[in-house]
């Protein structure tokens, strides 16, 4: 019987490793520095920043999972967070203008911050993304917080605010995904 699971690290995992690598020498074979160069050649600086920020978040969250770490502790360890927030501010104002979302800039920035939080950590924190709670000798019940989806919900009462947050999350997902795709294409050429 053959195992068909692909155990190779993803581009995001390789990029995360490259970001903390102490060995950034160019070599004949692909090395950590190649991932950094490919990310630097991305067509969207903001997309590359989001890709790096998500990689940092995932690495830090995995390292301190189970230690009762708060979200503040996780966020305090993200080196790219400040740059991402600066770029997100300008980007969100531009998107709000394009969508004719006529709210004060301060509100747009607050909503963009909530979108960034959802972008970084979309899983429901009540069920850890399983969609249900219980088990292990007790009945399994659908998670009330996420309704069984395993995803965090946007907790905004005003529908236009909720729609703006969802649009921002979608835009950030697209930018980060495009960056990952560009990195993959550049590395296949090399």
């Amino acid at each position: 019987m053959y195992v068909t699971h692909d155990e190779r690290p993803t581009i995001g995992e390789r990029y995360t490793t490259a970001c903390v690598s102490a060995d950034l020498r160019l070599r004949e074979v692909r090395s950590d520095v190649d991932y950094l160069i490919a990310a630097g050649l991305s067509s969207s600086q903001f997309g590359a920043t989001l890709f790096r920020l998500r990689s940092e978040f995932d690495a830090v969250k995995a390292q301190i999972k189970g230690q009762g770490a708060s979200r503040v502790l996780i966020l305090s360890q993200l080196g790219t967070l400040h740059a991402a927030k600066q770029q997100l501010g300008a980007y969100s104002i531009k998107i709000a203008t394009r969508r004719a979302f006529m709210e004060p800039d301060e509100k747009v920035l607050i909503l963009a911050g909530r979108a960034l939080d959802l972008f970084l950590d979309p899983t429901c924190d009540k069920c850890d993304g399983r969609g249900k709670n219980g088990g292990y000798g007790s009945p399994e019940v659908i998670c009330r917080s996420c309704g069984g989806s395993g995803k965090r919900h946007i907790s905004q009462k005003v529908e236009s605010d909720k729609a703006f947050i969802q649009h921002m999350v979608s835009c950030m997902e697209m930018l980060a995904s495009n960056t990952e795709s560009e990195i993959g294409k550049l590395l296949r050429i090399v």
Side-chain angles (χ1 to χ4, degrees):
M1 186 161 112
Y2 296 101
V3 177
T4 59
H5 299 287
D6 190 3
E7 302 270 336
R8 293 180 297 170
T10 65
I11 290 173
E13 291 167 339
R14 292 295 309 263
Y15 180 72
T16 300
T17 302
C19 286
V20 296
S21 177
D23 182 11
L24 296 178
R25 290 178 288 167
L26 286 172
R27 297 197 172 104
E28 294 291 323
V29 295
R30 185 170 299 135
S31 64
D32 289 339
V33 74
D34 294 316
Y35 286 88
L36 299 176
I37 291 170
L41 294 173
S42 171
S43 61
S44 168
Q45 180 185 1
F46 184 43
T49 301
L50 289 171
F51 183 69
R52 180 173 182 154
L53 181 63
R54 182 180 269 170
S55 296
E56 287 176 3
F57 181 85
D58 290 344
V60 171
K61 187 175 179 181
Q63 287 173 0
I64 60 180
K65 187 171 176 78
Q67 297 178 10
S70 70
R71 193 170 221 70
V72 173
L73 178 61
I74 293 171
L75 295 175
S76 69
Q77 296 183 33
L78 304 178
T80 308
L81 183 60
H82 181 70
K85 286 174 22 182
Q86 296 296 316
Q87 293 173 24
L88 176 64
Y91 184 78
S92 63
I93 299 293
K94 184 170 82 173
I95 295 295
T97 304
R98 278 190 196 157
R99 291 180 56 91
F101 184 67
M102 299 306 188
E103 295 292 340
D105 288 353
E106 295 79 22
K107 182 174 182 178
V108 169
L109 295 175
I110 289 169
L111 295 175
R114 291 183 183 153
L116 181 63
D117 184 44
L118 277 169
F119 166 76
L120 290 175
D121 192 11
T123 57
C124 174
D125 56 340
K126 304 291 186 224
C127 66
D128 290 327
R130 291 185 313 273
K132 48 191 155 184
N133 291 312
Y136 302 108
S138 65
E140 284 187 342
V141 294
I142 293 188
C143 177
R144 289 184 184 174
S145 182
C146 68
S149 70
K151 302 286 182 189
R152 289 172 53 202
H153 288 292
I154 301 169
S155 58
Q156 291 297 126
K157 295 185 189 327
V158 179
E159 200 58 41
S160 61
D161 293 355
K162 189 183 277 192
F164 181 74
I165 291 171
Q166 185 58 50
H167 183 73
M168 288 297 299
V169 171
S170 296
C171 288
M172 289 186 278
E173 290 284 352
M174 180 193 65
L175 288 167
S177 178
N178 288 348
T179 297
E180 183 172 19
S181 184
E182 286 178 356
I183 291 169
K185 287 177 186 173
L186 285 167
L187 291 174
R188 280 191 287 277
I189 293 170
V190 180

